[in-house]
């Protein structure tokens, strides 16, 4: 038997896989337990959503450019969910194969099953009909998150990303319940396919974690695309009557649509883990109490990825796995959650990194704000996409960049550059020293520096 320390990883999504590979590289004996490799990520998460979004882009550009031509030569030119499923499954299979190969090459023991805690240093593993105990020196919980759609009362089946492929055809109209990230991306998805879209949001603005000015611009763009937005509207229940769905709001109003897509948020997935047996303490909201290294009240148990409740993004899955495993292997890395960038592939594209204006003020920074229109970026002019807006927030005291918020084509690329600068603590007045290719979105940096007061 090897003298190496034993680590078990519960969950084989990106956070679990990254933790397993890191610890295997550091000489641990690692077992990773999950019914499937790839996690929610490869079944009903980011990978699936982004592959679908890509297909909706293909479809809408194809439809826009060739509608007239197709009217004359084709009979059935509609988006086909069964074909889309095949494509998305092939994307998912490639990722799963990469993950499996990586695990095998790193000597990680993959156990196809589930795990629940049995004590502070052991779990019970269930593999088909087999159950046994496995002890650990360290455990990393990477069990992801689950959608909250079952918390919505409905007399029939509502659509989530999990069952989108069951659609027989493009819905003529769809109510999207929830105006957060997933709601925004799937509203754009159905709009590209040609559905009439109504977004129903509980709070008083869409994308309410984004900078207020950016979410206002997003709402304005929805108006122009004839997407109806109903805010301050809490859904009471949905009833399916024949081929129609009626969404009843608590204020007495109702919305009729052919289908309803639910995107009302996600929760850390901690059920069936018998977490209390591990001595892991939860906070008032039911999330694990973690220190900055993501260690729980049981010093041998760490949490990574969505199940931390601290971030629900793939970049967080990978980053949190590095933080936790660096702590286990004593190489240490602190975590700065606000530097995680975020992109939404909606129309127009939106991305951000760092604090928004309200957050930065609330944190007590003396802030400077630079606003910039895309009509000043040559790359945008050339692409005929000059309707964008960019906002940079910086600390007037030391000129450090605090946040960047962009709406318009190229948003993700611009934000990626700011992400590097925020993490490298580059001061805003020094960015004029950099030289970029022309024409690129990067050139905006030189201009921005000249606006610092
Ligand atoms: C519709 C949608 C769109 C998204 N789009 C984006 C995007 O554009 N960009 C982005 O960055 N993120 C996006 N995300 C979020 C991203 O998918 C998640 O942040 C990511 O999958 C989290 O990875 P994870 O490893 O923490 O968990 P998961 O990928 O959820 O994996 C967790 C795994 O743990 C397993 N598990 C659970 N309990 C047990 C147990 N007791 N024993 C063994 N195994 C267990 C599960 O079976 C699962 O396989 C999106 C999510 C959704 C739902």
């Amino acid at each position: 038997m090897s003298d190496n320390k034993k680590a078990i990883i519960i969950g084989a999504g990106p956070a679990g896989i990254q933790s397993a590979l890191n610890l295997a590289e550091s000489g641990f004996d690692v077992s990773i337990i999950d019914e499937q490799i790839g996690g929610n990520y490869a079944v009903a998460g980011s990978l699936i959503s982004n592959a679908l979004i890509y297909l909706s882009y293909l479809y809408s550009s194809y439809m826009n450019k060739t509608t007239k031509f197709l009217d004359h030569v084709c009979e059935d030119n509609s988006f086909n969910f069964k074909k889309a499923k095949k494509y998305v499954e092939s994307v998912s299979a490639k990722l799963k194969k990469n993950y499996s190969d990586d695990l095998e090459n790193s000597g990680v023991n993959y156990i196809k099953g589930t795990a629940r805690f049995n004590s502070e240093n052991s779990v019970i593993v269930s593999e088909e009909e087999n159950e046994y105990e496995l002890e650990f020196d360290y455990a990393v919980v990477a069990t992801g998150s689950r959608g909250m759609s079952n918390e919505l009362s409905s007399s029939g089946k509502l659509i989530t990303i999990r069952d989108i492929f069951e659609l027989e055809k493009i819905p003529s109209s769809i109510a999207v319940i929830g105006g957060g990230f997933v709601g925004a991306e799937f509203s754009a998805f159905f709009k590209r396919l040609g559905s009439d879209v109504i977004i129903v949001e509980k709070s008083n603005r869409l994308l309410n974690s984004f900078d207020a000015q950016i979410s206002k611009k997003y709402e304005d763009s929805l108006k122009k695309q004839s997407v109806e937005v109903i805010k301050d509207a809490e859904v009471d229940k949905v009833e399916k009557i024949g081929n129609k769905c009626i969404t009843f709001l608590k204020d007495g109003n109702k919305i009729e649509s052919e289908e309803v897509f639910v995107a009302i948020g996600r929760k850390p997935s901690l059920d069936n883990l018998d977490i209390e047996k591990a001595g892991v303490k939860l906070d008032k909201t039911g999330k694990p109490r973690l220190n900055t290294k993501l260690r729980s009240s049981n010093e041998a148990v760490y949490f990574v990825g969505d199940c931390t409740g601290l971030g629900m993004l793939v970049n967080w899955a990978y980053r949190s796995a590095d933080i936790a495993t660096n702590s286990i292997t004593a190489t240490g890395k602190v975590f700065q959650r606000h530097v995680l960038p975020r992109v939404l592939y909606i129309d127009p594209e939106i991305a951000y990194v760092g604090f928004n204006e309200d957050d930065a003020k609330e944190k007590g920074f003396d802030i400077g704000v630079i606003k910039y229109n895309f009509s000043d970026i040559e790359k945008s002019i050339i692409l005929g996409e000059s309707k964008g807006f960019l906002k940079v927030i910086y600390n007037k005291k030391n000129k450090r960049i605090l946040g960047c918020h962009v709406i318009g084509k190229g948003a993700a690329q611009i934000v990626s550059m700011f992400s590097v600068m925020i993490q490298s603590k580059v001061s805003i007045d020094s960015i004029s020293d950099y030289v970029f290719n022309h024409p690129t979105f990067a050139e905006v940096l030189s201009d921005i520096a000249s606006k610092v007061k």
Side-chain angles (χ1 to χ4, degrees):
M1 234 170 111
S2 110
D3 292 335
N4 294 345
K5 290 221 179 230
K6 288 184 189 53
I8 61 140
I9 316 290
I10 309 176
I17 296 278
Q18 180 83 2
S19 303
L21 297 176
N22 288 355
L23 291 174
E25 200 179 305
S26 299
F28 281 72
D29 279 345
V30 185
S31 292
I32 186 164
I33 307 152
D34 199 329
E35 294 279 15
Q36 55 182 356
I37 287 184
N40 237 331
Y41 174 48
V43 176
S46 173
L47 191 81
I48 305 304
S49 142
N50 282 297
L52 268 173
I53 285 163
Y54 167 68
L55 292 182
S56 71
Y57 270 122
L58 278 187
Y59 178 76
S60 72
S61 70
Y62 162 81
M63 290 300 280
N64 293 341
K65 286 185 189 133
T66 57
T67 304
K68 278 194 191 139
F69 170 69
L70 287 164
D71 279 349
H72 296 293
V73 288
C74 280
E75 295 221 339
D76 179 14
N77 59 9
S78 190
F79 187 89
N80 184 310
F81 283 90
K82 291 203 173 55
K83 278 195 177 162
K85 184 178 183 191
K86 260 195 186 162
Y87 173 77
V88 170
E89 280 176 349
S90 74
V91 171
S92 174
K94 278 182 202 150
L95 175 100
K96 289 177 178 177
K97 165 113 184 36
N98 288 350
Y99 275 171
S100 298
D101 289 350
D102 288 348
L103 291 177
E104 199 181 322
N105 295 337
S106 303
V108 174
N109 172 32
Y110 168 56
I111 300 168
K112 186 169 166 49
T114 58
R116 60 182 194 277
F117 285 99
N118 194 36
S119 71
E120 291 191 354
N121 65 346
S122 69
V123 291
I124 301 281
V125 176
S126 307
E127 262 188 285
E128 291 204 356
E129 280 153 34
N130 209 359
E131 277 208 344
Y132 54 93
E133 190 179 22
L134 208 59
E135 292 191 347
F136 59 81
D137 295 298
Y138 290 101
V140 178
V141 181
T143 48
S145 59
R146 59 176 175 80
M148 287 151 66
S149 57
N150 58 353
E151 293 179 14
L152 199 70
S153 156
S154 166
S155 66
K157 193 157 186 204
L158 309 179
I159 310 169
T160 66
I161 187 169
R162 285 198 172 266
D163 24 53
I164 198 163
F165 298 111
E166 287 170 23
L167 286 173
E168 294 287 331
K169 63 174 185 62
I170 299 170
S172 58
S173 58
I174 189 155
V176 175
I177 303 180
F181 299 143
V182 174
E185 285 197 329
F186 277 87
S187 304
F189 172 83
F190 283 107
K191 189 68 201 166
R192 278 182 214 119
L193 300 194
S195 305
D196 286 336
V197 178
I198 306 168
I199 305 175
V200 185
E201 166 57 40
K202 196 162 76 168
S203 71
N204 61 0
R205 71 173 165 107
L206 302 185
L207 298 179
N208 56 25
S209 62
F210 282 67
D211 189 88
Q213 214 173 344
I214 297 282
S215 65
K216 166 84 177 62
K217 282 183 185 288
Y218 167 56
E219 288 180 20
D220 291 347
S221 82
L222 288 177
K223 225 179 253 164
K224 285 188 193 130
Q225 297 171 59
S226 308
V227 171
E228 197 181 330
V229 178
I230 303 176
K231 293 184 285 187
D232 293 314
E234 208 167 329
V235 172
D236 184 25
K237 60 177 178 180
V238 181
E239 276 186 14
K240 271 206 148 176
I241 303 163
N243 288 336
K244 291 218 170 331
C245 296
I246 316 281
T247 301
F248 291 87
L249 304 181
K250 287 198 174 153
D251 63 8
N253 285 319
K254 45 189 177 175
I255 299 157
E256 198 178 301
S257 58
E258 191 179 326
E259 295 289 353
V260 170
F261 185 91
V262 190
I264 54 171
R266 301 185 67 76
K267 269 188 182 163
S269 179
L270 302 172
D271 308 334
N272 312 320
L273 267 179
D274 289 348
I275 221 162
E276 60 295 338
K277 290 191 181 165
V280 169
K281 294 208 171 76
L282 303 180
D283 69 15
K284 276 186 271 167
T285 63
K287 293 179 199 156
R289 246 197 259 160
L290 304 174
N291 71 4
T292 54
K293 306 272 171 70
L294 305 176
R295 193 172 63 198
S296 71
S297 47
N298 176 343
E299 296 203 345
V301 179
Y302 287 70
F303 286 72
V304 296
D306 280 14
C307 68
T308 58
L310 295 170
M312 293 197 179
L313 288 172
V314 177
N315 55 13
W316 171 243
Y318 289 129
R319 173 54 61 101
S320 58
D322 286 347
I323 292 162
T325 54
N326 279 335
S327 169
I328 294 172
T329 58
T331 42
K333 230 185 206 182
V334 268
F335 90 91
Q336 289 180 293
R337 205 151 47 89
H338 78 278
V339 296
L340 288 177
R342 181 64 166 110
V343 58
L344 283 187
Y345 290 111
I346 53 181
D347 305 309
E349 190 174 305
I350 301 182
Y352 74 75
V353 60
F355 295 118
N356 66 37
E357 200 174 331
D358 292 339
D359 287 344
K361 278 184 195 153
E362 212 176 285
K363 294 244 176 272
F365 291 111
D366 177 15
I367 60 165
V369 178
I370 297 169
K371 295 177 184 175
Y372 199 87
N373 285 318
F374 271 32
S375 50
D376 294 331
I377 305 175
E378 283 171 54
K379 176 79 178 173
S380 305
I381 300 169
I382 293 164
L383 295 179
E385 300 272 1
S386 50
K387 274 201 201 114
F389 172 78
L390 179 152
K391 185 190 249 188
V392 180
I393 296 138
Y394 64 95
N395 183 348
K396 273 191 182 162
K397 218 160 136 193
N398 57 12
K399 301 281 193 299
R400 291 257 173 87
I401 303 164
L402 296 171
C404 172
H405 304 260
V406 190
I407 180 166
K409 197 172 174 70
Q413 285 183 31
I414 294 172
V415 161
S416 296
M417 295 183 295
F418 275 91
S419 187
V420 173
M421 291 190 293
I422 293 175
Q423 291 179 63
S424 319
K425 300 188 171 61
V426 171
S427 75
I428 189 145
D429 46 4
S430 71
I431 60 180
S432 59
D433 299 342
Y434 299 97
V435 181
F436 301 98
N437 280 329
H438 173 83
T440 55
F441 291 115
E443 286 176 297
V444 72
L445 296 188
S446 322
D447 267 7
I448 279 177
S450 69
K451 292 183 188 277
V452 178
K453 292 192 184 97

